[in-house]
Amino acid sequence: MPAHDLASTAPADVVRRQYLASATGDLQMWRTAVADDVEWIEAAGFPLAGTYRTPDGVIKGVFEQLAAAWDGWVTHDDTYVVDGERVVVLGRYSATNRATGKSMSVRVAHCFIVRGGRIVRFEQIVDSAGVHAAMTP
């Protein structure tokens, strides 16, 4: 991401910054992309299904759990569709489950709402069957 985009408050740039921070493990940068009262929804059927609030809630409830259960978790943000404050990202997850050693690559859609240069809401849509297949011995 070009340096000038790191300060941009355009919704797509904020979402890209969130992905970059997540991929590099830069939680300080990630925190600058999300609101203090962020609502983070992991899809029903996904192992971490539920709604998480606050950056600390997302880090503890989602990021730390993924890191504990999966090796090489990567979110590939392939396509961005922007409509004002709404950003939909089509992509995929890839990782290897630590318990089974099975790899997965599943399609996802992430729906963001960005206001005032921060992500206020995230909703995950995911092929949870592929995730569960990698988790099943």
Side-chain angles (χ1 to χ4, degrees), residues 3-134:
H4 70 277
D5 290 346
L6 293 176
S8 173
T9 59
D13 291 337
V14 173
V15 170
R16 279 189 191 95
R17 187 165 52 249
Q18 178 274 152
Y19 283 119
L20 176 63
S22 179
T24 61
D26 187 342
L27 294 179
Q28 190 60 29
M29 184 182 359
W30 182 83
R31 285 175 184 277
T32 69
V34 299
D36 292 340
D37 60 349
V38 66
E39 178 181 53
W40 195 274
I41 302 167
E42 297 285 318
F46 189 68
L48 303 174
T51 300
Y52 302 85
R53 297 188 195 312
T54 76
D56 286 338
V58 176
I59 290 168
K60 287 178 178 42
V62 179
F63 296 159
E64 289 179 1
Q65 301 306 312
L66 291 174
W70 299 88
D71 283 323
W73 185 278
V74 177
T75 302
H76 307 270
D77 54 327
D78 300 328
T79 304
Y80 284 65
V81 180
V82 181
D83 181 18
E85 67 184 10
R86 297 179 188 280
V87 179
V88 175
V89 179
L90 306 176
R92 63 188 165 82
Y93 294 146
S94 62
T96 301
N97 185 267
R98 290 180 191 265
T100 66
K102 292 182 181 179
S103 295
M104 60 118 183
S105 179
V106 299
R107 296 294 295 161
V108 298
H110 289 165
C111 306
F112 295 89
I113 297 176
V114 179
R115 289 191 187 119
R118 298 257 177 130
I119 296 165
V120 297
R121 188 171 192 276
F122 163 89
E123 182 177 0
Q124 171 201 57
I125 300 164
V126 61
D127 172 11
S128 58
V131 177
H132 285 286

